[in-house]
Amino acid sequence: MGNNTSSSTYKGDSPGKKVARARLWINAGMVMTALDEKYKGAYVLAGEGGDVSTLKALGFDPKTITAVDLDGDYANFCGELYPGITTLTGEAGEWAQCVDYNAAHLDFCNSLTVENLDTARKVILGASSYPMCLSITMMKGREAPPKLNRIAHSNLPRHARKELRRRMQKSEL
């Protein structure tokens, strides 16, 4: 899918990712049921349609599923593979307020970055109702290392991180 100039970072599914996705959506449904919150829609990253496939297998109406991807080829592929869903091309956080949902899954194909945190914030704020269920997964290891200045954690020396952790733990007592 896509070409060498693709803007997507999606690397495809693995067996572990498929199992994690199924458990994620089953648990999200149980939490929302326990909170007596009615399902309004799902907002997912398109990729090759893994979330859409899982949601359809669990009995969700495709008309309630929106899949978004930076790569238009992936968004179009997902829409062709699963007729009835809504597909969007662009950054998930930017489209969030235009979609009706209260369940979302962001499967980031890199480490924790400031950009990913901002996307998650926008997806939370864009939900149609609260409580909403937001799941975030990351498959660290199969992807190229991110640029150091784009990572959300600091590059402090180990002794400094340990001291900060000790202080934080002490202040929470």
Side-chain angles (χ1 to χ4, degrees), residues 1-3 5-13 17 21 42-52 65-80 82 85-96 99 105-109 119 123:
M1 203 73 271
N3 53 35
T5 60
S6 170
S7 56
S8 179
T9 57
Y10 184 70
K11 304 294 182 194
D13 261 351
K17 207 171 185 181
R21 184 182 296 111
Y43 190 56
V44 300
L45 302 182
E48 293 175 348
D51 280 302
V52 179
I65 303 168
T66 301
V68 61
D69 205 296
L70 287 170
D71 186 330
D73 289 343
Y74 274 112
N76 292 335
F77 174 74
C78 194
E80 290 170 9
Y82 301 103
I85 69 167
T86 300
T87 58
L88 302 167
T89 299
E91 200 277 324
E94 300 303 319
W95 280 108
V99 179
H105 176 216
L106 300 175
D107 183 13
F108 295 124
C109 294
T119 297
V123 169

Side-chain angles (χ1 to χ4, degrees), residues 144-155:
K147 297 175 187 171
L148 288 178
N149 64 347
R150 307 300 278 191
I151 296 177
H153 67 77
S154 70
N155 289 324

Side-chain angles (χ1 to χ4, degrees), residues 106 108 110-121 138:
L106 300 175
F108 295 124
N110 57 8
S111 61
L112 185 63
T113 65
V114 173
E115 289 84 0
N116 291 350
L117 291 172
D118 189 50
T119 297
R121 179 186 65 82
M138 295 179 209

Side-chain angles (χ1 to χ4, degrees), residues 4 7 12 33 41 61 64 80 82-83 112 121 132 169:
N4 292 341
S7 56
T33 298
D61 182 353
T64 67
E80 290 170 9
Y82 301 103
L112 185 63
R121 179 186 65 82
M132 65 90 65
Q169 287 174 331

